[in-house]
Amino acid sequence: TAGAAKLAAAKGRALVVPAEKARPVVIPKFDKAPSIDGNLGDEIWKSAAVFKDFYQIQPGDNIAPTKPTEMLMGYDAKTLYIAVRATDDPSKVRATIPKRDGIFGDDYVGVYLDTFNDRRKAYALFFSPLGVQADGIYTEGQNEDYSLDIVMESKGAMTADGYVIEVAIPFKSLRYTAGKDKVWNVQLFRRIQHMNAELDSWMPISRDVQGTLNQAGQITGLEGISTERTLELIPSLTLSETGRRVRALPPLPFPQNAQAGPQPVDRIVNQPIDYDLGLTAKYTLTPTVTLDFAYNPDFAQVEADATVVTANQRFPIFFSEKRPFFLEGREIFETRSTVVHTRAIVDPDYAVKLTGKRGRNSFGLILASDNAPGNLSEDDRSEARAEVERLRVPRRVGATEEESESVAAFNARLARATQLENEFNRLVDRNALIGVLRLKRDVGRDGSLGLFGTTYNFVDRYNHVGGIDGRFKIDPKTVLAFELLGTATRDERDAQTGELLPYRHAFGYSWMWDYTGRNWGYVFEGGGRTEDYRTDVGFVRRTNTNNAFFAWRYSTNPNPKAVLTEFRLQHFVNSNFDWQGRHQNADTGTNINFQFAHQTFVQIGLNYAYERLFDFEFGGPGSFAGADSERSTNIKTIFVFAERTFNKQFSGFAFVGTRRGIFDLDFGSEPRYPRVSPAVFAAREAEAAGLCRVTEEQPVVPRVCLALQDPGPGAGLDIDAGITYKPTSALNASLSYTKARLTRYDTDRVAFDDNIFALRSTYQFTRFLFARARVDYDTLAANVRGQFLFGWTPNPGTAFYAGYNDDLNRNGFNPFNGQLEPGFRRNGRTFFVKMSYLFRRSFGG
């Protein structure tokens, strides 16, 4: 058997498995439901199907596991039941009470359930020794997404020889096909953290075959399942009281104000208590098709985006979706080019989503009405009205010609006021209508072909995207993927007539060829977008670019008993050029990875890069200081990254890197770090010398006085480090530090120096009751943000949160007059209470 396995691996085939695992395992139907109490004493478990004789697949290569594992499975008409017996020394088992989906620092067991038998997508359901759940979707080629939360029951308990877990998964929480002769694919796993993070699998997984679900085992016998249609209703209520910093009222025009001393420039205004009612609904039309609807959905975020370095950023920063309505089923909308990024739907009044799978066809539809584009703030509305009134003041008539305003100028001013008022009335309180369509068909054993389209419509802003994509398994080690897109955008008006200009059309594409073997692997990737490429419902960092990427890697065979368990060498080459054939950048690098015993990982990297900037990308031709229309630099990067889990209580990581030659884009990081380019200093000197005045002899300001964009190379330092401390099973605390610093070569001045400190702490009173605190301090923004939250989340949909958010400046600059303010100054704070409840009812049977 060992010889046959080696021969099969050499030829890139799946490993030979025992006969009892090679054929589908028949799952028995229980005549009595077991009690989900973390005790396997129920007699009914003796009739369950048994999964045992696991293989160690990490760090070992399908060798015997260090500890035995046994999983049990059975079902009745409404529920799938899973039980686990995990043998181990209980004093060494890592078992805390983390939040849902946060169990992966502990020991855990779990299952991939491919309920459509398509080897492309599966439910990923994992459980800690104390029964805490992590649930998501595993998509072949995309790994796991734990944004999905399903309703299920689990309970775990420590025992004298390890731990046990019991799980009950209602079929109505899943999307599936079942019945006579129907088969599900399954992968069963166990993680043992104290044994070099050992991962055991019920099925052997060959490193000579790319993929996980295509090496899965199978179960069958799921007959007589109740085909219920399920309606879920989640009403929600959010109460909040907000105070924010606003400009102070101007002083009254009375003489006594002159003796009153300096007047305040700002104040904190407390808004009235606000309430927000919402409703989300889910209706299971069939076990494979689901309709979701949301009216004024509650998108109050109980977990804010992480603070990141924004200085010297040329392109947009991606932030993940966190809102429950858009998370479920989002894997069907995912594409290589992120054509759909639902955070573009900012604040919908209503949204409808239809997702499902029929046979080999998957589909998804989203319709939404977003009020965010027309929902201007009170400050914006006040400023717009004030500008209109300013333009409509009576005509100025003076004693001299210079003091008078011509009739033509006065009429032009009135016309501009009317234009601004019409634009304001046309945009304010208007909604954007958004639509997304996704179709996908399974092709062959592992491939797929897809079609997608999006549309964004708001007053005089229209964007439509359409395209096709595909993914195919060429052989056991090779995957091919591609994507072709077309976009049409209409959002510009003729300067003379004011009419909308015709649609601008654009094109995008991407492709990938990935070979993954036991020791060797390589990947070719490419992609590009023309200049007018737009995806208003998606996300794109850069247009008018093409990218070509190649990387290869060599990995040693793992040796779990050695100090150095695995070694990997990686090298990559990358290049970008625009559609006019101009080279934009190129980089190449080599990374060496060391995986040591005791969960210790070290990576060392050395990269070389070339970057080129063009003035038309920064405001148009002639926007760079000097006579050059482009700038270029050579960059050398050296970095070291290390992480280790020391014991049950402590783990940490650290990254240190230097980038010699990186561009300062000359954006500045006001007010703490003004621009430090030579063009800025030259402009200051010219101003001081009186060279920038407009006179009859000098009717045009000299170019040197304009302080034009002046990118230049410099030395960058990047640090990212953190430590996690778990003193008890209930308390989890972490502290992280991020530093980004850049000093220009030509002026020897610091362009920016940002330090971000982030403290996170959670105390889990029970699996469902917690208190959480987070504090972020960003030195560049001189900003401190805190969030303090108490929550109760007994199941997905039912929740209660009470929280306080605070936003302060520390030794920052006043946003209204730009003056330095020592100490702390509050920008705003919010108290909120958020509650929701899941009503769930099934129909039929």
Side-chain angles (χ1 to χ4, degrees), residues 40 82-84 109 127-129 131 154-157 163-167:
L40 300 186
I82 300 174
V84 181
V109 296
F127 309 91
S128 77
S154 62
K155 186 69 179 293
Y163 61 90
V164 298
I165 300 173
E166 288 184 297
V167 181

Side-chain angles (χ1 to χ4, degrees), residues 335-339 438 449-454 464-472 481-487 506-512 526-530 533 535 546 579:
T335 62
R336 290 177 52 81
S337 298
T338 320
V339 174
R438 177 66 157 147
L449 273 174
L451 172 73
F452 50 81
T454 71
H464 314 296
V465 180
I468 60 173
D469 64 346
R471 186 178 187 274
F472 303 96
F482 74 91
E483 191 174 70
L484 300 172
L485 311 96
T487 75
F507 173 73
Y509 70 95
S510 72
W511 59 272
M512 179 192 71
R529 294 163 293 277
T530 58
Y533 180 92
T535 54
N546 296 273
W579 287 83

Side-chain angles (χ1 to χ4, degrees), residues 655-672:
F655 171 93
V656 179
T658 63
R659 293 181 287 173
R660 310 291 297 182
I662 182 176
F663 265 124
D664 166 32
L665 299 175
D666 199 23
F667 293 152
S669 297
E670 296 279 2
R672 193 165 296 276

Side-chain angles (χ1 to χ4, degrees), residues 130-243:
L130 299 181
V132 182
Q133 303 165 3
D135 45 356
I137 295 292
Y138 172 84
T139 303
E140 200 68 79
Q142 299 180 14
N143 295 320
E144 294 146 339
D145 177 5
Y146 287 99
S147 57
L148 171 71
D149 288 330
I150 68 172
V151 177
M152 57 182 172
E153 186 180 1
S154 62
K155 186 69 179 293
M158 302 300 300
T159 64
D161 60 352
Y163 61 90
V164 298
I165 300 173
E166 288 184 297
V167 181
I169 308 170
F171 286 112
K172 62 186 178 183
S173 294
L174 306 175
R175 306 294 165 257
Y176 62 90
T177 58
K180 185 175 177 59
D181 299 326
K182 294 291 185 180
V183 173
W184 290 5
N185 295 313
V186 296
Q187 287 280 24
L188 308 175
F189 300 103
R190 177 187 177 186
R191 179 75 72 178
I192 308 175
Q193 296 288 4
H194 70 91
M195 300 300 298
N196 288 332
E198 174 182 324
L199 182 63
D200 300 335
S201 170
W202 178 65
M203 291 291 290
I205 297 181
S206 172
R207 301 190 182 201
D208 290 278
V209 176
Q210 186 172 173
T212 300
L213 297 179
N214 55 340
Q215 303 185 66
Q218 294 184 321
I219 60 175
T220 189
L222 300 174
E223 303 176 17
I225 295 177
S226 176
T227 56
E228 298 174 321
R229 294 186 302 276
T230 303
L231 175 64
E232 296 182 2
L233 297 175
I234 306 178
S236 64
L237 171 63
T238 301
L239 301 173
S240 61
E241 195 277 330
T242 300

